[in-house]
Amino acid sequence: MQILPFYLLCDESGSMTGDPIDAINRALPDLHHEISTNPTVADKTRFCLIGFSDDASVLQPLVDLSDIDEVPALSAGGLTDYGTAFRTLLRSVEKDVAELKALGHEVYRPVAFFLSDGIPTDEDWPTAHRELLNSRYAPKIIAFGIGDAEAQIIGQVANFRAFIQKDNSVSPAQALREFASSLTRSIVRSASSISSDGSSDFTLAVEEKVPGFETVTLDKV
C-alpha cells in the first residue's frame, strides 16, 4: 500500500496562550473526524502531531487517524525554539519511514505543516533546519506564520509553500481556523490523487491561496 505521511509542527510557546491555542485545539477534532471517517483517505495517509516551545515533543506519534479516538490537545508555555522542532521532526521521519517500509508499504515523501506565531528564540535553528532538508527523507515543508511571525523567516522555513497572516483585519484565531481547514483539505485532496494500484504519482494538493493569509516568496539559497 502507498502511504503519505503528514506531520503538523505547532508552536506551543507562551504567546500562543488563549485564543490561538484554543483555536487549534477546537480545529483538531474536526481534522480527525474528516479524515478518520473517510476510509480512502485514512488508509493512504498517516498523521503525526509535534508541539514545540523550549523543547519539542511528539504529542501524537504517526498514526492512521481511524485507529484513534481523538488527537491530543496542545498547551502553551515557554519560548520558541525552532531548532528543537526540526530535530524532533527529523528523528520522527527517519523512524516512521523505516517502520512503514518494514511493514511492506511504499512511502511517499513526508509532508510537514509548520505553524508559528513568533520569531525563533534560538539563533542556531538554521543548522537543524539544514540537517532536516539534507536528510534522506527530507519532507516537503509548508510553513504558516501568524501574530508576530516574520515573513522572511517563514519563507526560509518552507521549501514548498509559505503563508503569513494578513494585517490586523484578521485575528490569529480566525487565521488559525483557516489554516486548519487548509491542512485538512490538503490531506484529503492529496490522498484522493493517489491511485489505488499505485500506477501513478500523487499530487501534493496544497492551496496556493488561503483565506486570512498572504503568500510568501520562499527564501531559496
Side-chain angles (χ1 to χ4, degrees):
M1 180 179 292
Q2 294 75 38
I3 299 294
L4 176 57
F6 281 89
Y7 295 79
L8 171 56
L9 280 75
C10 192
D11 191 340
E12 289 186 295
S13 62
S15 55
M16 288 285 288
T17 300
D19 287 343
I21 209 77
D22 290 344
I24 285 290
N25 284 333
R26 285 194 297 269
L28 286 174
D30 294 335
L31 180 149
H32 174 261
H33 175 77
E34 184 74 21
I35 295 168
S36 65
T37 57
N38 186 331
T40 301
V41 175
D43 285 348
K44 296 176 182 177
T45 62
R46 298 291 184 270
F47 178 82
C48 172
L49 176 62
I50 295 173
F52 68 93
S53 54
D54 298 313
D55 199 359
S57 57
V58 179
L59 302 175
Q60 173 57 62
L62 197 72
V63 68
D64 177 338
L65 284 175
S66 65
D67 289 341
I68 61 173
D69 294 328
E70 61 182 7
V71 177
L74 297 151
S75 58
L79 302 176
T80 312
D81 192 313
Y82 279 18
T84 190
F86 298 134
R87 286 187 290 270
T88 300
L89 176 59
L90 175 56
R91 289 193 297 270
S92 298
V93 165
E94 290 181 337
K95 170 179 173 291
D96 295 339
V97 172
E99 290 180 351
L100 288 170
K101 287 189 171 185
L103 292 172
H105 296 300
E106 295 179 15
V107 185
Y108 288 109
R109 185 167 298 281
V111 179
F113 280 76
F114 177 91
L115 172 70
S116 179
D117 77 332
I119 299 170
T121 50
D122 55 319
E123 294 183 357
D124 64 342
W125 70 267
T127 301
H129 183 257
R130 208 160 34 242
E131 291 172 356
L132 173 66
L133 296 189
N134 289 335
S135 64
R136 182 179 180 185
Y137 306 122
K140 295 179 180 178
I141 303 175
I142 300 94
F144 284 77
I146 65 167
D148 293 330
E150 293 186 354
Q152 180 183 2
I153 293 176
I154 294 300
Q156 286 179 272
V157 169
N159 66 355
F160 188 80
R161 199 156 288 162
F163 302 91
I164 194 78
Q165 180 189 341
K166 287 184 178 178
D167 57 34
N168 293 332
S169 62
V170 179
S171 71
Q174 289 173 309
L176 284 171
R177 284 194 291 272
E178 295 294 348
F179 160 78
S181 296
S182 179
L183 168 59
T184 302
R185 289 191 296 268
S186 296
I187 295 175
V188 171
R189 292 172 183 172
S190 297
S192 299
S193 75
I194 300 175
S195 59
S196 57
D197 60 2
S199 60
S200 60
D201 203 357
F202 84 103
T203 300
L204 180 54
V206 177
E207 296 166 322
E208 294 185 4
K209 295 183 179 180
V210 179
F213 290 87
E214 296 176 353
T215 302
V216 177
T217 301
L218 301 191
D219 185 1
K220 299 178 180 179
V221 295

